[in-house]
Amino acid sequence: MTAATVGAPAGGVLHGVGVGRRSVVGPVAQVRPAPTVPADAPLLVDGRPAEPAQVHAAVETAFADVAARLRTQADAATGTVRDVLAATAQMAADNALRTQVLARVDAGEPPVAALDAVVQMFAQMFEQAGGYLAERVTDLRSVRDRVVARTLGLPDPGVPALTRPSVVVARDLAPADTAALDLDNVLAIVTELGGPTGHTAIIAGQLGLPCVVRVAGATDLEDGVDVAVDASDGTVVVAPGDDVRAAVARRAEADRLLAQETGPGATADGHAVALLANIGTAADAERVGAGPVEGVGLFRTEVIFLERTTAPTQDEQAEAYAQALRAMGDRKVVVRTLDAGADKPLAFATQPDEENPALGVRGYRLVRSNPALVETQLAALGAAQAATGSTPWVMAPMIATPAEARDFAARARAAGVATVGVMVEIPAAALRAREILAEVDFVSLGTNDLAQYTMATDRLRGELADLLDVWQPAVLDLVAATARAGQELGKPVGVCGESAGDALMALVLTGLGVTSLSMSPGALPAVRFALRHHTREQCEQMARAALAASSAPQARADALALAEPQVRESLGW
């Protein structure tokens, strides 16, 4: 909010990367840090150093207890929270991690030193791999902290018991911590580390919580001090004054009013733009299906695969897809086929080690090494279509050439899939969008990966977030080229990346010719409101202004200058 940075109180303003657009005021609740113990700290039994066999048993029991507790939390959770908790539980139960620690313990190494050595080795491997594995380093260290606490009989690290609505602040927040939150008493999440596409940000988005990550100095905030958290601006105002509190109150009231508008997406002059939701599971479809959403624009099916040791059967997959289709009734459901590979490893389809997994065998490229995996999924989607009478829009990720699009379309149609598309998230695909669209029925722009590959910047590296700004003109050029190809051929071009949920960017995307926008359900009201208060011509003017800019900040500023004052005020732009 603009007011948050004008006349800031003596406490000052901390800056980070915001996730979402909501703002709140509340007291800080610092997450309990990991236990601080020397690496050579012995395990004591009755005040004396334990015998080797006792140390072995204590460490083994600690791993089992941590894994069991995480599984219990996963079973009680839903959607993305459940999935990431299950992933962390699987890590705690990982045989390689446990046996290597126990081998060091059996050799006489103190338990904390053994844990630290093995965890550090795995963390370095994950960080070198990059992508999805790099993001799981937080989970790995969370498992380490819990095992140390259980082994030595110390309090578990994590979120304290919340007795009042609070802003949860942490150096980083593991999925297990996030899932343990008492949502009745959580106003927002602030972390010093993490990125806008990390686990914390994803879960915060699912829970509808404002979130600001990469906030330097966040853990120095005193427990109980009031802060104003603005996810839209990525700011945390310490000890906010009356002006900031009033701005937050106005934003909350505006959000309440926005949520009351529930009609289909369209500009002020009636140009339709379908507003869709991103989901990860069939259960997510059931939840969003009960709300004012026109369909699903991205069903991330890899969730069904990632935490398994064997591939799900065709029948298992077909039932999950049919459940999602039934939940949405006659509304559109866009299904992305398996987006996994080197950076999202599958236990049953492991690829050889790669120096740069983001450029490796992932997405549709799995067909090169494991065609049965792709064909089984397509058969399951065809079966779900036949069982429900609903037609899913099925698209493949990581398509680079028209030939790959043609190959996928042939396989999908042979499996009975009626509506076939592909993702445009590689610059080569955007540059050849016309040729690719000639092979399929639609395309959807994945702007997260498109920005990553265009700007040569790992999208999980929070310190490079400025290069991944959704307003980068180079990325907008590729979006414009793809949308133009869709208009020429009369085929739909959607956006399902993070930029679709930015209400101002949604106007620009509409002006570029994008026909549908898919986002977190919580972003829908603001996008719907912004569209309804601008004509198509205004959107096109904004798009031209953004494309002509020389930088991301200028692109946003130039588009904002053309926005309706009423919308700027209502949405806090």
Side-chain angles (χ1 to χ4, degrees), residues 25 110 121 139 151 195 259 270 349 451 554:
V25 174
M121 179 185 68
D139 307 345
T151 299
Q554 183 189 342

Side-chain angles (χ1 to χ4, degrees), residues 104-388:
R104 285 176 172 266
V105 167
D106 292 342
E109 202 166 336
V112 177
L115 273 161
D116 287 347
V118 175
V119 166
Q120 183 59 27
M121 179 185 68
F122 274 84
Q124 288 177 345
M125 291 170 53
F126 287 4
E127 287 169 346
Q128 290 169 1
Y132 176 80
L133 283 178
E135 188 61 37
R136 295 196 67 183
V137 170
T138 296
D139 307 345
L140 179 63
R141 297 197 189 283
S142 172
V143 169
R144 176 266 179 205
D145 296 342
R146 283 167 167 73
V147 172
V148 167
R150 290 299 178 95
T151 299
L152 300 182
L154 301 172
D156 283 344
V159 182
L162 301 176
T163 58
R164 55 178 175 167
S166 304
V167 174
V168 174
V169 179
R171 186 167 186 269
D172 205 357
L173 204 58
D177 294 324
T178 314
L181 294 174
D182 173 8
L183 295 182
D184 291 335
N185 282 319
V186 178
L187 297 172
I189 297 174
V190 176
T191 66
E192 282 195 344
L193 302 180
T197 59
H199 278 156
T200 299
I202 290 171
I203 292 175
Q206 177 184 321
L207 299 176
L209 296 172
C211 178
V212 184
V213 300
R214 303 204 68 77
V215 181
T219 55
D220 294 330
L221 293 170
E222 293 184 8
D223 262 313
V225 66
D226 276 355
V227 292
V229 179
D230 185 358
S232 178
D233 275 359
T235 57
V236 179
V237 180
V238 185
D242 291 343
D243 57 339
V244 176
R245 292 174 182 271
V248 171
R250 288 195 299 272
R251 175 78 68 81
E253 176 60 18
D255 288 344
R256 187 187 68 79
L257 294 174
L258 290 179
Q260 294 178 0
E261 296 192 40
T262 59
T267 60
D269 53 344
H271 173 66
V273 182
L275 300 182
L276 313 170
N278 295 341
I279 65 170
T281 66
D284 289 342
E286 293 177 338
R287 279 189 294 276
V288 303
V293 61
E294 295 175 68
V296 168
L298 175 62
F299 181 177
R300 301 180 179 98
T301 60
E302 57 269 13
V303 173
I304 301 170
F305 293 77
L306 284 176
E307 305 311 327
R308 297 180 59 114
T309 56
T310 59
T313 66
Q314 179 178 320
D315 288 345
E316 287 175 322
Q317 292 186 58
E319 177 52 35
Y321 306 144
Q323 182 182 347
L325 291 172
R326 292 189 187 102
M328 299 308 297
D330 59 358
R331 288 172 287 181
K332 178 179 180 179
V333 177
V334 181
V335 180
R336 183 178 69 189
T337 59
L338 181 61
D339 186 14
D343 70 331
K344 298 177 187 175
L346 298 174
F348 47 86
T350 302
Q351 299 297 315
D353 291 339
E354 296 176 288
E355 292 186 4
N356 194 335
L359 304 180
V361 182
R362 56 170 293 200
Y364 187 61
R365 296 173 182 180
L366 284 171
V367 78
R368 298 170 181 244
S369 57
N370 197 336
L373 195 61
V374 176
E375 289 167 359
T376 298
Q377 183 174 29
L378 290 173
L381 285 161
Q385 176 179 294
T388 62

Side-chain angles (χ1 to χ4, degrees), residues 471 473-474 476-477 512 541-551 554-555 558:
W471 292 92
L476 291 178
D477 282 339
L512 291 175
Q541 290 175 359
M542 290 181 181
R544 288 193 292 270
L547 288 173
S550 60
S551 68
Q554 183 189 342
D558 291 351

